[in-house]
Amino acid sequence: MTGLRYVYAVCRPFRSALQAQLNGVAGEPPKQLTHHGLVAVLSTVPERDFAEEPLRAHLEDLDWLTETARAHQSVIDALTVVTTPLPLRLATVFRDDSGVRIMMEAREAEFRRTLDRLEGRVEWGVKVYVDLEPAETGPPAGPAASGRDYLRQRRSRARAHEDTWQHAEMFASSLHTTLSAWAEDSRLHTPQSTSLSGASGRNVLNAAYLVPRADSEGFVEMVDRTKDEEAGIRVELTGPWAAYSFVGEESA
């Protein structure tokens, strides 16, 4: 193979075929490179885009980065259906097969430990949002009769806002405790900014849960039961994903 090697993930050998006509980064189908009983899933990519200098420039191009990340994720998703992948960082590139083998040998013990821990498990994401009523966050519905009335309205809105926020935090904390007891492991991530996520409402829980595949149906049902429990509180479930949140900083 000519070109550079773009590595998506490391996993153990698997027999099931990946989905037909799966294309990865740069439109290239993923291939397998086996070394010491581990498999690196990779594509061959052109030097003009993935050598050090052009890659550095491309990583500043949001459109290119989005397209590459989407292709990268499509391969990880396909692997998650048939095996337990250990995802590598976006744009993990090596000169040739030999470079990939050297990396796998240097990290072999780490990869095996992590794969042992993640085998047969997937990640589920749960987010909780609180939807604040416009009356709680906006200006008064009508003009205040006096300065004193105006201050009273401001205090009333502030108390309502605080009560709603505290109730949502209590709900999110209780849900996280329940889901953590069901899952084998969990991670709390920083709540997402509305301006970045584009989601409505304020994010009060952004968590990931490591769940055995065999228990995933029960986990999903548990989350679904909470979705309509509280007015003004929205619960969102995503997954199943490869266990990004649980592979450790070195491999994420």
Side-chain angles (χ1 to χ4, degrees), residues 1-220:
M1 291 188 294
T2 59
L4 304 178
R5 308 297 187 264
Y6 183 109
V7 185
Y8 303 94
V10 172
C11 56
R12 290 198 170 91
F14 55 93
R15 294 182 178 179
S16 300
L18 294 175
Q19 65 193 58
Q21 299 179 333
L22 174 64
N23 288 327
V25 172
E28 293 296 322
K31 300 178 175 63
Q32 299 180 37
L33 186 155
T34 302
H35 185 71
H36 289 183
L38 295 175
V39 173
V41 180
L42 54 83
S43 289
T44 303
V45 293
E47 290 192 45
R48 66 177 180 273
D49 290 321
F50 289 90
E52 185 175 354
E53 288 301 324
L55 179 58
R56 185 180 297 113
H58 279 315
L59 292 176
E60 300 296 325
D61 180 342
L62 184 58
D63 290 338
W64 186 92
L65 190 59
T66 299
E67 181 181 352
T68 301
R70 186 179 294 117
H72 179 105
Q73 186 61 44
S74 70
V75 175
I76 299 298
D77 289 345
L79 285 169
T80 303
V81 173
V82 300
T83 188
T84 300
L86 197 166
L88 300 188
R89 293 183 184 277
L90 185 72
T92 297
V93 180
F94 297 89
R95 171 60 59 183
D96 51 26
D97 287 354
S98 178
V100 178
R101 293 179 189 279
I102 291 170
M103 178 273 294
M104 293 177 71
E105 190 155 335
R107 301 177 63 182
E108 181 177 352
E110 169 203 338
F111 287 154
R112 291 188 184 280
R113 284 195 305 270
T114 304
L115 287 168
D116 284 344
R117 183 166 55 86
L118 300 182
E119 185 69 32
R121 295 158 178 82
V122 291
E123 176 174 329
W124 291 91
V126 176
K127 294 184 177 69
V128 174
Y129 297 90
V130 54
D131 296 316
L132 299 175
E133 293 295 331
E136 294 175 356
T137 57
S146 66
R148 180 175 296 177
D149 287 340
Y150 173 77
L151 291 175
R152 187 180 298 116
Q153 289 176 3
R154 288 285 301 271
R155 285 195 295 268
S156 177
R157 290 199 307 277
R159 283 196 298 270
H161 182 282
E162 185 65 23
D163 289 347
T164 301
W165 178 248
Q166 288 184 358
H167 179 68
E169 284 193 316
M170 290 176 61
F171 173 87
S173 177
S174 176
L175 177 62
H176 178 61
T177 298
T178 299
L179 297 180
S180 295
W182 182 280
E184 290 192 355
D185 201 356
S186 63
R187 295 285 186 274
L188 282 173
H189 299 306
T190 302
Q192 291 185 324
S193 165
T194 301
S195 61
L196 294 178
S197 68
S200 62
R202 188 168 179 180
N203 186 206
V204 294
L205 177 69
N206 180 16
Y209 302 90
L210 185 67
V211 181
R213 289 181 186 271
D215 296 337
S216 285
E217 184 175 351
F219 183 86
V220 171

